[in-house]
Amino acid sequence: MVNERGDGGAVDWDAAAASFDDEPDHGLRDPLTRGAWAARLRTWLPERPCDVLDLGCGTGSLSLLAAEQGHRVTGVDRSAAMTDRARAKCAGTDAEFLVGDAVAPPVGERRFDVVLVRHVLWALPRPERVLRTWRDLLRPGGGPGGSRLVLVEGVWGTLAPVGIPAGRLTTLLAPLVTGTRVERLSAERELWGKTVTDERYAVIATL
């Protein structure tokens, strides 16, 4: 999760939970924004129902979209207030939410077909080590299309930009995966509910 200042480490996420969904790309309340993210997820996730681990899931907006597309979703967030809201948002689905750290999610020996992470990696120390941990949470083989990491990241701000450029992320992934695809998202106004000029992208990395 990242706030509008791009400051991921100085936020009390429990306190922020009540207003988190006010951002268009967090709450996905606008039908156009919700539809844009749903369409992207359909291309990022396997067509068949699969096990998706949504790390740093926040209030569960992407988890809900994935569940509605037939996937079995487990969401993890370090904020109990966020996971409470995610459970309420996803009521009526099979989605499960756990309080825990994205760096060491409390999933035991479970393995997943997809690890989905939006706006989390850039704020973590030792991203190369984190990516290896996330890769190891994937199920070997993964069926048609293979297991995959779906990482939505960017670089925010102009005077003092923070984030992780797409080029650096693909370099970090290169020794861990068999293939990567970068999708540039900055020009997709519907995803953000507004025009943005900074770098926003998704990397889909397959085993």
Side-chain angles (χ1 to χ4, degrees):
M1 296 180 294
V2 60
N3 65 358
E4 286 301 295
R5 298 190 311 277
D7 180 0
V11 179
D12 180 344
W13 291 111
D14 282 334
S19 59
F20 186 77
D21 280 353
D22 292 348
E23 288 297 324
D25 60 310
H26 292 173
L28 307 186
R29 292 166 173 163
D30 183 278
L32 287 177
T33 303
R34 192 177 195 278
W37 281 102
R40 286 287 177 172
L41 277 187
R42 288 191 191 96
T43 68
W44 296 340
L45 304 181
E47 292 184 10
R48 63 183 178 82
C50 67
D51 295 311
V52 176
L53 179 62
D54 183 3
L55 296 176
C57 65
T59 59
S61 292
L62 294 189
S63 293
L64 177 59
L65 294 182
E68 289 176 341
Q69 293 177 14
H71 301 293
R72 300 174 294 272
V73 180
T74 301
V76 175
D77 200 280
R78 68 187 305 172
S79 164
M82 291 284 188
T83 55
D84 285 346
R85 289 178 178 271
R87 290 188 192 97
K89 185 179 292 186
C90 295
T93 75
D94 293 332
E96 171 191 13
F97 295 95
L98 306 171
V99 177
D101 195 330
V103 176
V107 295
E109 297 302 311
R110 294 169 61 189
R111 293 298 178 265
F112 300 84
D113 302 299
V114 177
V115 173
L116 169 66
V117 194
R118 180 171 68 163
H119 300 169
V120 173
L121 180 67
W122 73 271
L124 301 176
R126 303 292 297 273
E128 67 283 354
R129 186 172 289 184
V130 174
L131 288 170
R132 185 175 297 277
T133 296
W134 291 349
R135 190 277 312 270
D136 291 344
L137 290 168
L138 292 172
R139 181 174 288 128
S147 297
R148 65 194 69 178
L149 298 170
V150 177
L151 308 173
V152 183
E153 286 292 337
V155 178
W156 300 273
T158 53
L159 295 179
V162 295
I164 181 168
R168 181 176 180 229
L169 180 50
T170 55
T171 297
L172 292 173
L173 285 166
L176 303 176
V177 300
T178 56
T180 58
R181 180 174 86 251
V182 178
E183 295 187 13
R184 301 290 177 174
L185 304 178
S186 298
E188 304 297 324
R189 187 183 189 282
E190 291 83 3
L191 290 174
W192 315 110
K194 58 187 176 183
T195 299
V196 300
T197 58
D198 44 21
E199 181 182 8
R200 305 191 186 196
Y201 64 88
V203 172
I204 297 85
T206 54
L207 298 188

